[in-house]
Structure formats: structure tokens, C-alpha cells
């Protein structure tokens, strides 16, 4: 087994008053060293919850089930002390909300240096010099002067770069990036994506990137997982998912986005809304919106299996034919 | 969505300027002025969609708010349906308001949470003194058009999803059957599967009501799909304006080109084979814009003249215009695999 991260049958539920929200419903995920894995899916599908649970950073109202092995170590049974060493050490994380990881009242230089000292036990002088180098790595202009800025003195794109610098400060093996470019303008997004690609190249860093932007995944990821209502409904290598997907939700997702390079195409909305995660249904959770549904879909929930046709894993009783148009160039 | 050119533009904006008193920072207490919109001119024709794109803070919303007179322009002219409204009192504008409406980005914040959907949608009709029977008919018609249920009318905004709320906001805007609707990021806050829904409905409305849209957006793919013409803004100015084809396939301003090159395409082979333009640095502060060309600090074609002489758009009409000393047409969009 040479996976760096191996998630098995992960479940996450939140207690909300009398209700239970089943946010993640049994996902499996393997991430190899140096691999960039994309997780896509609509808002509320459990992308953040699944990765926060790996880091054991979920709210106390959450209950988690399953196993997570990181570099051979099971994380759910690790001690809090061990977790503190792993978080921000071997696993770096960029959060969806930048202000959760930057403290507004400290200069960014000292925040990065402190993160280095916490894990590497080096002198302040060495930590400061490492922090300055990191700002250079993430392309912050005039790194030594920028060390003394406060977060509010920086633009969104600059803050995002500082967050990346913090996340990689201790030379992690895995970077979990939750919507790292969503709040940014496209020209800044392009800069950040270059930084991430560079890190994989130079450090053989593994990256999990959570995003709702299929274009970002198309350009960056080696493999893609499509999530719907807490489950992975289709997964495989990036070209497979983009050109040969057969799950009706993946296909819906791919054909509802307008493309920069095509004008005339009509959009095909999926229609309907995602299910309430507090309500349990016996069948496939996409069934109420699915145009391909058969009787079985209403009563029995499908499981993720390898498709001999596409080489992808798909969770569907009645997958679609691979689209000849999508797979034309393969 | 073909534009019909009949009897002059519906909306004519000339040299629009909006200045805000700066917020000042901890370091610099002296309050500088922010010229959020620094001389913008464009027309909107009957039945067309003109989109304004550009990065955060470039003045898109401020332009929209000046055109709909939510804000009072500092200077310049805004002519709506033949009437100059840039400095008019709200009193004078009120009768015109039947004909233009605005839809906001945030479907959560823009609807009054204490009102039912029926009250929200019928409010503009009541304000304009429509008879009760007609109000009922119009509300029902628009609710159907937006694929909402009759039973939704008695519910409150918080009982709806984001996409449904945006449909309610749009229903409210079109119930008066206006000629012109300003949409400020109407789909940005929504999931892609819901976006497609709203875009289709907007297209349907435009066709059935002959509406003109001024749409603010930052997603260049969405803009390509819905627009007849596109204006690209940078730091308070329009740097390029033209038809959909001119902007997407014949762009000539380095900034437009950088935007197009940076917008990801959801197709791995196409996306990985594209020409990249990675700009240096960040957008400068609008309180202290660069001399000459405002884009010069990030431009990959910058020359000495760019810091000395401001490149201007020549004529504000409907042609393809580029504010650059060294315009050069490039098609950055790799043709689709086919
Ligand atoms: N602390 C919490 N308490 C209760 N429910 C929660 C909590 N955090 C998340 N949830 C619920 O769990 C589900 C999954 O949330 P999650 O944040 O993982 O979604 P996501 O896929 O990351 O969405 P987005 O794209 O909006 O970030 C949602 O229904 C959400 O409302
Ligand atoms: N009421 C205000 N007071 C002071 N400054 C303002 C005000 N409204 C906007 N600004 C400033 O004017 C500039 C343009 O803002 P505007 O909201 O028009 O940008 P935008 O292009 O719509 O950006 P976004 O894409 O983020 O919505 C920004 O620098 C902004 O900070
Ligand atoms: S005028 Fe100069 S700086 Fe401005 S966009 Fe053109 S080449 Fe670049
Ligand atoms: Mg999330
Ligand atoms: Mg805005």
C-alpha cells in the first residue's frame, strides 16, 4: 500500500437539535505521494466536512466513523498531542475562510515564524529567515518588508498566499486546500494555481483541492472525486471523469456550466434542489433529480463500483452511456 | 438575443464619475478620495445584454448603482429612455422607475425577511397604484414564469434555497414589465447547477418581454454565454468594449487578454494546452491609480509612453474600442476539440 492518505468508510454526522445531519456518508479516498486530487460537488455536499474530519477539526457536535491512515498512522485513534504535531506539520491546510487561520492582531511574518518554531524547534532567527524564504516561494513581492505587514494591510490574493506559506511552512507531505482561490479574481487565481503546481513539482507535495470550479480541477488535478449529498458518486483520473463520466449527476454538472470557448451551446440545468441531509431516504440520493432513474433507484441505494466500460468508479444503478461528444479526442 | 437598433439607445452613459470619500487607514489617517468610477461611457440598446466584467473593486457595482440612481453620480451624464437623470431628484425619477429595475447579487440579503413572497413581488405594483385584480394576475403570471409554485406565495424568503430566492428577486424585478433591468452578479452566489437554471430563465424573460439587461459579472464563461456586447473595466475605467465575438475572439487589450487566459475551461486537454498569461502583482488602490495607463503596473507590453500618456477610448458608440497604446488582436481561446 503506497497511499499517503487512505480514508475508509468515513461518516460524519452533526447533531442539530433533534435532527441529525448526515453530512458525509461512507466515503473512501486514496491519495498517492505527489498526487493532486480534486473534490468537486455542490454546496453542502460534504467536501469541507470530510477533510476537516481528517484533521480532526470538526465542531464538537460532530460524530465521526471510519478510519483515516496518514503515512501508515491511523488518525482517529491518535492522541491529541500527536494530532497537534501532524496538523500544520506533516499535513498543511488552507481553509475556506482565510480569517480562521490568520490572526488579525499579529504581523504575518511573526505568525509564519511562530508556526515554524512550534513544529521545528529552531531559533527565532532561523524561523524568520525561513519565513522570509516562504514568502518568496509564494511570490509575495519584497518578502522581507512584507514580513511586517498585518493581515488587514494585504489584499485578498496576498492573504491567500500568506495562508499557503503558513500551510507549507513545515514542509508537509500533504496539503489540503479548501476552495483556495474561490474568493479571488481570475488573474490572481491563476497566480495561486501556478504556486500550487510549482509546489507539487519541487516538493512532490500531495494536494487535495476542494473546489466548485470544474475548470480549476481540469487544469490542476490528476484525479477527481465528484461528491453528491455526502457520497462520492463518481471518481477516477481527470480525463476519465471529464470525458467519460456516466453518473447522471457528474454528467449534469459537466453540461450545466457555460464554457469560455463555446458560445452557442445551450445550458442544461440539472433542475430541482439537493436533498435535505437530515432526511434519510432508502434509495439513491440523486433519484428525485435524476432523468435516468429506474424503479430500483427509489428503493435501494447504489454503491460505488468500478465500471468496466469507463475505468471509473461510479455509484449508480443505471449509468448513462459515455458521451461520444465528450470522449471524442481520446 | 439579437440587439435591435431602433430609435437610439435605451440607456446612454457618458463620462460617468463617482468619487467616494476615502475610508482612510490606520497608517494614513488623511482621507484620500477614491474615484471608484473614473469616466465611463457606454450605451445599452433595446433588447440587448451588455455585460460589464472586471476584477473586484474595479467599479462595476458603483457604475450599476449610478445608472439606476441608487447612487448619485459625481459627474457625467446618464440618459434613461431619453431623460437625463444623473442629477435629478428621486421625485423626478419615480415615474421612470416602472421601466427599470435592479437585481442584486446576494439573494439572502436583498429580500425583506418579514414579508411573504406575495408581498415582496407585489410591492412595486402596489407602490405604483395598480388595481388589486391586475396585481393578482401579474404576480401569478410571473411566479409561473419563474417556475415557482402558487403555494410559495404565502411562504417567507428564509424557507427557500438560494436559487429560489434569486428567482423571487427576479420575479419582483420583472413584474412591472420594465424595459431595462440591471443585474449585479445575479448568479455569483449560486451553485453551478442552479446558475444554469437562472441563466435560462433570464434568457426566456428577455425573449418574451424584449428586456435589455446590463449585467455585472466576473465569470467570463457566463458572460460569454449571455451577452451581446461586453465592456471590460479596470480600476474605474472601461479598457475595452465590443461585441461578444470581438471581446472573446478578437480581444486587443492586454488586460482583456489576461482575463481570458486566466479563466479556466472545464476540459483537461484544452485547459492544459492553453496559452497562459500570468500577470504580475495586484490591482493598485483606486485611491492612488497609476499615471497614464492604469493597467501599466501589471501589463506585459508596457513601454515608456504608457506612464506618460493615458490611452483613451475613441468613440463611445457601439463599435469595438480599446484603450491601449499597443493594441494587438489575439484569439486566446483554443478552438474546442472537435
Ligand atoms: N458545524 C456544523 N453543524 C451542523 N451542520 C453542519 C456543520 N458543518 C457542516 N454542516 C452541514 O454538513 C453538510 C456538509 O457541509 P460542508 O461544509 O462539508 O459542505 P461543502 O461541500 O464544503 O459545501 P460548500 O461548497 O458550501 O463549502 C451541510 O449540509 C452543512 O450544512
Ligand atoms: N460606499 C462606498 N464608500 C467608499 N468607497 C466605496 C464605496 N462603495 C465602493 N467603494 C469603493 O469603490 C471601488 C469600486 O467598488 P465597486 O463595489 O463598484 O467594485 P466592483 O467592481 O463592483 O467589485 P466587486 O466585484 O468586488 O463587487 C472599490 O475600491 C470600493 O472599495
Ligand atoms: S497602454 Fe501600455 S500599459 Fe496600458 S495596456 Fe496598453 S501596453 Fe499595457
Ligand atoms: Mg466547504
Ligand atoms: Mg460589485
Amino acid at each position: 500500500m503506497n497511499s499517503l492518505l487512505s480514508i475508509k468508510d468515513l461518516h460524519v454526522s452533526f447533531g442539530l437539535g433533534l435532527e441529525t445531519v448526515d453530512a458525509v456518508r461512507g466515503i473512501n479516498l486514496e491519495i498517492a505521494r505527489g498526487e493532486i486530487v480534486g473534490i468537486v460537488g455542490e454546496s453542502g455536499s460534504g467536501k469541507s466536512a470530510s477533510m476537516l474530519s481528517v484533521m480532526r477539526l470538526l465542531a464538537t457536535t460532530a460524530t465521526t466513523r471510519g478510519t483515516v491512515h496518514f503515512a501508515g498512522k491511523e488518525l482517529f485513534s491518535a492522541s491529541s498531542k500527536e494530532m497537534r504535531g501532524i496538523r500544520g506539520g506533516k499535513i498543511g491546510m488552507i481553509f475556506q475562510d482565510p480569517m480562521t487561520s490568520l490572526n488579525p492582531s499579529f504581523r504575518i511574518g511573526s505568525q509564519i515564524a511562530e508556526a515554524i518554531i512550534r513544529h521545528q524547534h529552531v531559533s527565532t532567527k532561523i524561523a524568520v529567515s525561513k519565513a522570509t524564504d516562504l514568502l518568496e516561494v509564494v511570490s509575495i513581492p519584497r518578502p522581507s518588508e512584507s514580513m511586517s505587514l498585518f493581515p488587514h494591510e494585504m489584499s485578498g490574493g496576498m492573504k491567500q498566499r500568506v495562508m499557503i506559506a503558513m500551510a507549507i511552512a513545515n514542509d508537509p507531505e500533504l496539503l489540503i486546500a479548501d476552495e483556495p482561490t474561490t474568493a479571488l479574481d481570475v488573474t490572481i487565481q491563476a497566480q495561486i494555481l501556478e504556486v500550487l503546481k510549482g509546489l507539487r513539482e519541487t516538493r512532490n507535495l500531495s494536494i487535495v483541492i476542494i473546489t466548485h470550479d470544474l475548470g480549476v480541477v481540469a487544469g490542476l488535478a490528476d484525479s477527481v472525486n465528484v461528491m453528491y449529498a455526502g457520497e462520492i458518486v463518481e471518481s477516477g483520473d481527470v480525463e476519465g471523469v471529464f470525458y467519460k463520466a456516466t453518473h447522471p449527476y457528474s454528467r449534469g454538472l459537466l453540461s450545466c456550466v457555460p464554457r469560455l470557448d463555446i458560445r452557442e451551446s445551450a445550458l442544461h440545468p440539472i433542475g430541482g434542489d439537493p436533498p435535505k441531509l437530515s432526511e434519510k431516504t432508502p434509495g439513491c440520493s440523486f433519484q428525485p433529480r435524476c432523468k435516468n432513474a429506474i424503479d430500483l433507484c427509489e428503493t435501494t441505494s447504489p454503491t460505488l463500483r468500478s465500471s468496466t466500460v469507463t475505468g471509473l468508479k461510479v455509484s449508480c444503478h443505471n449509468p448513462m452511456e459515455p458521451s461520444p461528444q465528450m470522449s471524442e479526442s481520446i | 438575443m439579437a440587439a435591435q437598433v431602433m430609435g437610439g439607445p435605451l440607456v446612454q452613459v457618458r463620462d460617468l464619475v463617482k468619487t467616494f470619500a476615502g475610508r482612510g487607514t490606520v497608517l494614513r489617517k488623511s482621507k484620500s478620495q477614491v474615484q471608484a468610477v473614473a469616466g465611463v461611457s457606454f450605451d445599452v440598446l433595446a433588447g440587448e445584454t451588455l455585460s460589464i466584467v472586471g476584477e473586484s473593486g474595479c467599479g462595476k457595482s458603483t457604475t450599476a448603482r449610478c445608472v439606476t440612481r441608487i447612487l448619485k453620480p459625481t459627474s457625467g451624464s446618464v440618459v434613461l429612455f431619453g431623460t437625463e437623470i444623473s442629477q435629478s431628484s428621486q421625485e423626478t425619477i419615480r415615474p421612470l422607475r416602472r421601466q427599470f429595475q435592479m437585481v442584486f447579487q446576494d439573494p439572502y440579503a436583498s429580500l425583506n425577511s418579514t414579508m411573504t413572497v406575495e408581498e415582496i413581488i407585489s410591492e412595486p405594483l402596489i407602490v405604483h397604484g395598480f388595481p388589486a385584480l391586475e396585481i393578482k394576475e401579474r404576480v401569478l403570471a410571473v411566479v409561473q414564469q419563474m417556475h415557482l409554485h402558487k403555494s410559495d406565495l404565502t411562504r417567507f424568503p428564509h424557507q427557500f434555497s438560494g436559487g429560489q430566492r434569486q428567482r423571487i428577486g427576479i420575479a419582483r424585478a420583472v413584474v412591472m414589465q420594465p424595459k431595462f433591468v440591471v443585474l449585479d452578479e445575479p448568479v455569483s452566489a449560486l451553485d453551478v447547477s442552479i446558475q444554469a437554471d437562472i441563466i435560462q430563465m433570464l434568457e426566456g424573460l428577455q425573449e418574451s418581454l424584449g428586456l435589455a439587461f446590463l449585467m455585472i459579472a466576473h465569470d467570463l464563461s457566463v458572460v460569454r454565454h449571455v451577452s451581446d456586447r461586453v465592456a471590460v473595466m479596470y480600476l474605474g475605467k472601461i479598457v475595452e468594449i465590443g461585441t461578444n465575438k470581438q471581446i472573446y475572439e478578437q480581444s486587443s487589450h492586454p488586460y482583456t487578454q489576461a482575463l481570458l487566459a486566466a479563466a479556466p475551461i472545464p476540459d483537461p486537454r484544452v485547459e492544459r494546452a492553453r496559452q497562459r498569461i500570468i500577470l504580475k502583482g495586484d490591482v493598485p488602490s483606486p485611491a492612488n491609480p497609476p499615471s497614464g495607463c492604469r493597467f501599466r503596473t501589471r501589463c506585459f507590453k508596457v513601454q515608456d509612453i504608457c506612464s506618460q500618456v493615458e490611452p483613451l477610448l475613441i468613440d463611445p458608440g457601439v463599435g469595438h474600442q480599446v484603450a491601449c497604446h499597443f493594441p494587438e488582436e489575439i484569439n486566446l481561446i483554443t478552438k474546442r476539440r472537435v
Side-chain angles (χ1 to χ4, degrees):
Chain A
M1 235 313 271
N2 53 10
S3 288
L4 178 62
L5 186 74
S6 168
I7 300 177
K8 291 243 174 348
D9 198 28
L10 176 67
H11 292 256
V12 177
S13 310
F14 295 99
L16 252 183
L18 294 176
E19 292 188 330
T20 310
V21 176
D22 295 315
V24 181
R25 302 171 167 192
I27 67 166
N28 295 289
L29 201 64
E30 303 284 327
I31 295 155
R33 281 180 200 277
E35 187 184 19
I36 303 186
V37 173
I39 302 181
V40 300
E42 43 198 296
S43 187
S45 58
K47 305 183 295 294
S48 299
S50 54
M51 286 303 132
L52 285 168
S53 77
V54 166
M55 298 287 271
R56 297 207 354 219
L57 284 173
L58 283 171
T60 50
T61 54
T63 43
T64 312
R65 192 147 59 80
T67 58
V68 175
H69 284 89
F70 172 74
K73 176 147 198 64
E74 209 288 305
L75 297 187
F76 287 172
S77 53
S79 69
S80 309
K81 184 163 174 252
E82 283 173 316
M83 279 313 292
R84 277 196 299 274
I86 290 170
R87 262 185 240 127
K90 294 260 184 281
I91 306 181
M93 185 149 183
I94 304 169
F95 295 92
Q96 198 164 358
D97 172 12
M99 291 327 273
T100 51
S101 19
L102 290 178
N103 187 328
S105 35
F106 293 99
R107 298 177 197 280
I108 59 130
S110 58
Q111 295 192 52
I112 302 172
E114 204 175 290
I116 293 170
I117 294 168
R118 195 157 53 231
H119 289 274
Q120 299 180 21
H121 313 291
V122 292
S123 69
T124 310
K125 196 171 158 218
I126 292 173
V128 166
S129 119
K130 283 192 175 199
T132 317
D133 293 345
L134 282 164
L135 292 184
E136 175 110 53
V137 170
V138 296
S139 310
I140 287 188
R142 285 170 280 109
S144 8
E145 287 144 69
S146 300
M147 288 283 283
S148 60
L149 294 175
F150 287 96
H152 69 84
E153 294 174 303
M154 311 187 93
S155 67
M158 284 298 153
K159 272 192 278 225
Q160 203 65 3
R161 267 172 258 208
V162 172
M163 302 237 306
I164 297 178
M166 293 259 268
I168 61 163
N170 296 302
D171 214 357
E173 292 167 40
L174 173 67
L175 176 66
I176 297 175
D178 193 351
E179 306 273 6
T181 58
T182 300
L184 305 175
D185 287 314
V186 282
T187 62
I188 309 297
Q189 168 171 287
Q191 295 169 349
I192 303 277
L193 294 178
E194 286 301 305
V195 170
L196 292 180
K197 281 182 206 162
L199 288 171
R200 188 259 288 269
E201 230 102 280
T202 54
R203 306 185 174 206
N204 199 32
L205 184 64
S206 303
I207 302 176
V208 177
I209 179 161
I210 298 175
T211 173
H212 67 274
D213 190 330
L214 293 172
V216 168
V217 171
L220 189 67
D222 303 310
S223 63
V224 181
N225 297 273
V226 181
M227 280 191 80
Y228 187 80
E231 290 172 68
I232 292 176
V233 295
E234 191 151 25
S235 72
D237 69 282
V238 65
E239 291 200 354
V241 170
F242 276 85
Y243 302 139
K244 295 194 286 193
T246 57
H247 193 286
Y249 175 68
S250 327
R251 283 283 276 282
L253 199 59
L254 289 165
S255 57
C256 73
V257 289
R259 285 177 59 148
L260 189 71
D261 56 340
I262 305 171
R263 168 111 209 255
E264 258 64 57
S265 62
L267 302 183
H268 307 282
I270 296 176
D273 285 305
K276 277 211 176 76
L277 296 174
S278 52
E279 286 165 13
K280 282 199 179 59
T281 47
C284 167
S285 51
F286 188 57
Q287 181 270 339
R289 303 171 77 184
C290 183
K291 296 189 183 82
N292 240 35
I294 51 176
D295 287 350
L296 184 62
C297 308
E298 213 173 325
T299 55
T300 313
S301 98
T303 49
L304 195 68
R305 292 163 205 260
S306 296
S307 155
T308 45
V309 184
T310 61
L312 302 169
K313 285 188 181 148
V314 61
S315 169
C316 178
H317 292 306
N318 188 26
M320 302 171 79
E321 291 293 316
S323 149
Q325 193 196 351
M326 288 162 78
S327 53
E328 212 149 68
S329 72
I330 301 194
Chain B
M1 278 191 271
Q4 51 197 82
V5 194
M6 271 176 11
L10 213 55
V11 183
Q12 198 170 55
V13 177
R14 291 293 176 271
D15 305 318
L16 181 69
V17 172
K18 179 65 189 178
T19 307
F20 294 109
R23 296 188 175 110
T25 62
V26 188
L27 300 177
R28 259 172 256 114
K29 283 261 166 43
S30 67
K31 285 205 183 147
S32 50
Q33 297 237 304
V34 174
Q35 218 179 48
V37 179
V40 154
S41 304
F42 59 86
D43 292 345
V44 182
L45 310 180
E48 82 164 341
T49 299
L50 171 69
S51 292
I52 303 183
V53 301
E55 289 174 292
S56 189
C58 70
K60 304 180 296 295
S61 296
T62 306
T63 303
R65 282 160 196 264
C66 286
V67 170
T68 47
R69 274 304 310 276
I70 292 167
L71 289 172
K72 191 173 186 174
T74 307
S75 66
S77 117
V78 176
V79 178
L80 277 192
F81 322 118
T83 309
E84 167 66 60
I85 60 158
S86 61
Q87 304 299 321
S88 311
S89 67
Q90 292 298 339
E91 256 328 84
T92 338
I93 298 168
R94 188 155 305 134
L96 276 176
R97 286 217 177 265
R98 287 177 63 158
Q99 300 185 59
F100 67 91
Q101 292 293 324
M102 184 148 176
V103 174
F104 298 91
Q105 166 174 2
D106 187 352
Y108 294 89
S110 58
L111 301 176
N112 186 331
S113 60
T114 63
M115 289 163 78
T116 64
V117 170
E118 177 157 22
E119 287 164 346
I120 289 170
I121 299 177
S122 53
E123 190 185 33
L125 296 167
I126 295 169
V127 170
H128 283 95
F130 280 72
L133 199 66
E134 190 177 346
I135 293 181
K136 270 226 140 42
E137 278 170 12
R138 281 207 188 198
V139 169
L140 274 182
V142 78
V143 158
Q144 270 174 5
Q145 208 163 8
M146 297 311 293
H147 297 191
L148 295 163
H149 286 284
K150 213 173 133 180
S151 61
D152 292 337
L153 286 171
T154 53
R155 298 165 68 198
F156 292 89
H158 69 263
Q159 295 172 291
F160 293 89
S161 69
Q164 289 170 323
R165 287 191 223 203
Q166 196 56 295
R167 281 187 254 157
I168 296 166
I170 294 168
R172 176 190 158 93
V174 299
V175 74
M176 299 283 295
Q177 303 186 346
K179 292 202 185 71
F180 175 51
V181 178
V182 176
L183 304 152
D184 191 353
E185 310 259 13
V187 299
S188 306
L190 306 175
D191 261 317
V192 286
S193 72
I194 314 291
Q195 277 188 8
D197 225 28
I198 302 286
I199 292 168
Q200 269 200 339
M201 278 179 202
L202 288 172
E203 287 173 334
L205 283 172
Q206 184 163 51
E207 214 148 277
S208 62
L209 300 176
L211 285 173
F213 288 140
L214 175 65
M215 187 166 101
I216 312 294
H218 62 259
D219 183 328
L220 286 137
S221 307
V222 169
V223 168
R224 171 144 218 216
H225 188 83
V226 303
S227 316
D228 297 299
R229 291 189 305 122
V230 181
V232 182
M233 277 186 82
Y234 188 81
L235 263 184
K237 300 223 177 219
I238 291 179
V239 297
E240 184 162 8
I241 183 167
T243 61
N244 189 304
K245 189 178 163 76
Q246 285 163 344
I247 298 297
Y248 283 89
E249 289 169 30
Q250 301 159 356
S251 65
S252 301
H253 195 284
Y255 179 60
T256 310
Q257 293 165 351
L259 278 183
L260 290 175
I265 295 177
D267 184 322
R269 294 202 177 170
V270 171
E271 178 63 12
R272 288 167 203 229
R274 291 173 77 196
Q275 182 182 344
R276 296 263 160 239
I277 299 174
I278 304 289
L279 292 181
K280 309 174 277 198
D282 262 323
V283 184
S285 156
N288 190 16
S291 64
C293 173
R294 293 182 167 216
F295 184 58
R296 71 175 164 83
T297 54
R298 299 173 79 200
C299 185
F300 51 94
K301 287 172 86 177
V302 61
Q303 305 278 325
D304 287 348
I305 185 178
C306 304
S307 62
Q308 292 145 16
V309 181
E310 183 180 349
L312 300 171
L313 293 178
I314 304 126
D315 116 68
V318 290
H320 185 188
Q321 297 202 55
V322 190
C324 171
H325 294 302
F326 306 100
E328 182 190 0
E329 195 178 300
I330 312 182
N331 182 358
L332 277 151
I333 298 173
T334 324
K335 280 277 175 268
R336 194 189 182 201
R337 301 167 293 122
V338 161

